[in-house]
Each structure stands twice: as C-alpha cells, then as structure tokens.
Amino acid sequence: MSSSFLNRLSTRLTAAFIFSAVLGVVLVAILTYRYTSSDFSTFLTNMQGMQGMMGGMMGDQTFAQVEQDFLGSLRQTLWITGISGVVIAIALGAVFTRQIVAPLGKVAAAAGRVAKGNFKQKVNIGGAGELDQLGQAFNSMAATLERDQQLRRNMVADIAHELRTPLTVLQGNVEAMLDGFIPADNAHLTSLHQETLLLARLVDDLRTLSLAEAGQLEFRTKSVNLRALSIQVVESFRALLSAKHIDAKVDGLDNLPEVGADPERTAQVLRNLINNAIHYTPEGGKITVRVTSDTGGVTVSVIDAGIGISLEDLPRVFDRFYRVDRSRTRSSGGSGLGLAIVKQLVEAQQGRVWAESTPGKGSTFSFWLPLAK
Ligand code: ADP
C-alpha cells in the first residue's frame, strides 16, 4: 500500500462521509419545509374559519403576514441546522477517516519494510477492533516469515557444512593420488568410492527431508500390517545382524489391526530406526521390535540394549544433523538426518514419534500410526 493509495482512500472516505451527511441534511430540510409549511397553512386556514365564526379579530393581511414570518424563520432555522450538520459531518468524517487510515498506514509501512527483508517489524494498533486484529494477523505473519527465513539459513549452513567434509576427504585423496603420494590402487579407490556413496546418501536424505518438510512427498496410503512389515524389514538386515552377532526379533500378536499408512515410507521409518539400533548396539547384543495396539492405532517400538542417550541429548536427537557424538567420523556414523526423516514421515501420516533411553542400558524409539479407516 503506497502513501498515494492511502491519500486517495482518505479523500474518498471523507467525501463519502460529507456526501451522506449533506444528502441527509438536504432530505430532512426538504421534507420538513414541505410538510411543516402545508400543515401550518392548514392550521392558519382553520384559525381563519374559527375567527370568522367568532366575529373576526385579525384580517386576511395579518394571517398572510404570520404565515410568511413563520416560513421565513423556518427557512432560517433549516439553513442554520443544515450548515451546522455539514460542518459537524466534515469534522467527524475527518476524525473517523483518520482512525481508519492511520492504522492502515502503519500496516502498509511495516509491510513495506518486511518486503525489504526486515522481518522484525511489528505493528501496534491498539484497541480491540477489527483493525487491531489486522495488526495482530500481520505480526504473526511477519513472525512466521522470520522463523522460516532463520530455518532456511540454518539449513543451508548445515548442508554446506555436511557436504564440505566428504568433499574435502575426496579432494585430498584424489590430489594425493595425482601427486603420487598415495597409489591409485584398488584399496584406495574403494575407500574413495565409499566416500562418494556416503555423499550420495546424504544428498538423497536431504532431498527426502526437504520434500517431507515442504509437504511435497507423495504418500500412497493403504492398510498396512505393521507386524508383517517389521518382520520384513528386520529380515532385510539379516546379514548385518549376523555380522555383529546381534539377536533381533519381532514381538506382537498375529491379529493386530492394520494402520492406514504408506508401506514404503513406513518401511523407511523402520529401516532408519533398526539401522540406528544395530549401529549403537555392541556385538552380541539384542534388539526387539515390539508391536502393540490401542483403540486408535498401533505402536511399534524398536528396543535396543545399546549405549543409550543422555537426558540432555534425548530431546534433540530428532533435530536434523544432530549427533550425540560430534567427533564421530561420518564414515562410522550416518548423516545425522535419519531421525529427522523418521519424524517427518511419521507426522506426515498423522502419527507420533518419541524416544526413551537410559544411558549405558539402551534406547527405545517408538512410533504410533492411526488405524486404517
Ligand atoms: P545418524 O545418521 O547420525 O545416526 P540419526 O538422526 O539417525 O543420525 O540419529 C541422531 C543421533 O541420535 C545419532 O547421531 C546418535 O547419537 C543418536 N541415536 C540415534 N539412535 C540411537 C540409538 N538407538 N542409540 C543411541 N543413540 C542413538
């Protein structure tokens, strides 16, 4: 909203006030003049008749004079009232217009500053009317924009940081090979290949996460048996489980109700949780996937007897790029996006996810999904 727009609005509002006031005053004046003069004329005629019967005290001339005096003073009164009405209308119109246009001007000015990227702008209109509600709606919009901008900035910084590490490793190794410091043999190339796989996974995870956060992931919801899906996912980890001598089993009744979910996305949730459980469980440990139901849905808990998570880290493990052990190299760990993806995928399917843990004893990551309709 530009100031010329506000000036035009102000002029139009004032003109509308004055026009309606003048119209009202003119209408009242015409009607009053018309009916009062004809009523007064009837009254005088009656008086004249009565006087004729009583012998006549006033002549025709005197009645005409009285009528003329009366109408003259009526006209004068109407003029005075009319002009005062119009003056009051102009004054009130100007006041009301100011009351409407001034807050709009504040919002317009703040919107202009927000458009230039200054999201700290707040408008304070005061009062309890619709214009104050407009101000509050504007403030909450500016706050949301500010938060989104902050999140975007943090995300870009995080991504840049995460991509930098594997790229530096790759760059350093390739340069060392080119300079002949390390041989370009099978072992070194395999390790470089491993690094490119991690990089590709990081990019894939980022893509999934950003699509999920933007609400642009497609979910093909079907009736899903979470116990059967859990067994299938655990089986897909069989080689890794045997390599670490970890005993994994799925607990749960055969006849559990089905949930309404996308089987592929829910399998990804399970894969991320089971992968973490395997990763943070020492060799020879145990993992249980427990599936239980309540009236509204089904809960899957991935229970490990691994290293556990401290109370202060627990609330942050679902944040993107959050890793408890920051110094851990990426090759031994993941992208730090696994649980953030789990949270997005579960919540996008109207579910909930949570974690419980005792350091040194193990962790339980659970998610709940609503029953199929
Ligand atoms: P990452 O890819 O690094 O595993 P996640 O988002 O999957 O990232 O997990 C975030 C962090 O939460 C991990 O770095 C780890 O510190 C912690 N974490 C996740 N699952 C477990 C678990 N089962 N036991 C112990 N710590 C865990």
Side-chain angles (χ1 to χ4, degrees):
M1 259 191 281
S2 65
S3 67
S4 68
F5 168 81
L6 289 172
N7 286 342
R8 279 203 305 277
L9 179 67
S10 169
T11 315
R12 272 203 228 154
L13 280 174
T14 315
F17 270 119
I18 296 169
F19 177 73
S20 40
V22 171
L23 195 71
V25 167
V26 168
L27 261 177
V28 170
I30 291 173
L31 293 175
T32 311
Y33 189 76
R34 218 188 127 150
Y35 288 108
T36 313
S37 55
S38 73
D39 283 357
F40 191 64
S41 172
T42 317
F43 169 73
L44 283 182
T45 315
N46 289 344
M47 281 287 287
Q48 227 168 351
M50 277 169 64
Q51 224 209 359
M53 284 192 301
M54 287 161 65
M57 283 162 63
M58 289 168 84
D60 279 355
Q61 192 59 40
T62 326
F63 272 108
Q65 184 63 45
V66 168
E67 186 173 4
Q68 221 165 45
D69 285 354
F70 171 75
L71 290 179
S73 99
L74 179 66
R75 262 197 300 273
Q76 197 183 9
T77 313
L78 286 176
W79 271 111
I80 294 170
T81 321
I83 290 167
S84 326
V86 170
V87 170
I88 292 171
I90 292 173
L92 286 181
V95 171
F96 288 142
T97 304
R98 258 186 72 81
Q99 279 182 353
I100 295 170
V101 174
L104 284 180
K106 280 188 189 174
V107 176
R113 289 189 292 266
V114 166
K116 287 189 186 129
N118 184 352
F119 298 110
K120 294 252 178 283
Q121 288 310 309
K122 297 276 174 285
V123 276
N124 185 11
I125 290 173
E130 290 79 2
L131 287 169
D132 183 49
Q133 281 177 19
L134 172 72
Q136 285 174 15
F138 178 88
N139 288 344
S140 83
M141 181 199 73
T144 308
L145 284 174
E146 186 183 7
R147 207 190 53 231
D148 284 357
Q149 196 201 37
Q150 193 57 46
L151 280 176
R152 226 177 11 253
R153 279 197 187 137
N154 290 349
M155 179 137 180
V156 172
D158 285 347
I159 292 169
H161 177 80
E162 293 297 322
L163 291 177
R164 192 69 231 148
T165 319
L167 278 175
T168 309
V169 174
L170 276 173
Q171 194 183 350
N173 277 285
V174 172
E175 279 171 9
M177 280 179 192
L178 287 173
D179 293 342
F181 291 128
I182 53 171
D185 58 12
N186 207 19
H188 285 98
L189 287 174
T190 307
S191 123
L192 286 191
H193 181 236
Q194 203 60 34
E195 208 56 45
T196 61
L197 291 181
L198 280 171
L199 202 53
R201 200 192 121 194
L202 175 65
V203 173
D204 277 351
D205 282 355
L206 273 172
R207 195 181 125 74
T208 309
L209 186 62
S210 63
L211 285 176
E213 281 181 346
Q216 283 178 355
L217 266 193
E218 204 187 324
F219 286 86
R220 300 207 178 101
T221 306
K222 295 181 184 156
S223 289
V224 177
N225 181 327
L226 283 182
R227 185 174 177 272
L229 192 68
S230 302
I231 294 172
Q232 200 182 312
V233 175
V234 167
E235 284 314 308
S236 71
F237 280 98
R238 209 30 90 191
L240 193 56
L241 287 166
S242 331
K244 277 191 89 176
H245 307 289
I246 293 175
D247 172 30
K249 63 172 174 126
V250 177
D251 255 9
L253 300 173
D254 276 341
N255 56 352
L256 285 174
E258 297 189 325
V259 296
D262 180 318
E264 191 30 55
R265 307 254 182 244
T266 312
Q268 186 174 358
V269 168
L270 277 162
R271 273 198 296 274
N272 288 6
L273 294 182
I274 294 170
N275 189 42
N276 279 351
I278 297 174
H279 200 93
Y280 299 102
T281 298
E283 287 210 6
K286 195 176 152 200
I287 294 170
T288 308
V289 181
R290 182 161 297 146
V291 193
T292 53
S293 71
D294 56 53
T295 45
V298 174
T299 302
V300 180
S301 298
V302 178
I303 308 159
D304 68 54
I307 60 169
I309 304 163
S310 73
L311 213 58
E312 72 225 34
D313 287 314
L314 203 54
R316 301 204 50 199
V317 290
F318 291 101
D319 293 354
R320 74 168 93 88
F321 295 124
Y322 190 79
R323 297 190 189 102
V324 172
D325 183 358
R326 291 243 137 211
S327 62
R328 204 158 44 93
T329 58
R330 287 184 63 260
S331 50
S332 71
S335 60
L337 294 173
L339 290 177
I341 292 175
V342 164
K343 186 167 157 34
Q344 287 293 330
L345 293 184
V346 170
E347 288 180 355
Q349 302 187 85
Q350 281 71 52
R352 290 190 307 273
V353 58
W354 66 98
E356 295 145 284
S357 186
T358 313
K361 289 224 161 92
S363 316
T364 300
F365 282 85
S366 307
F367 68 94
W368 175 95
L369 285 172
L371 292 183
K373 293 207 177 78

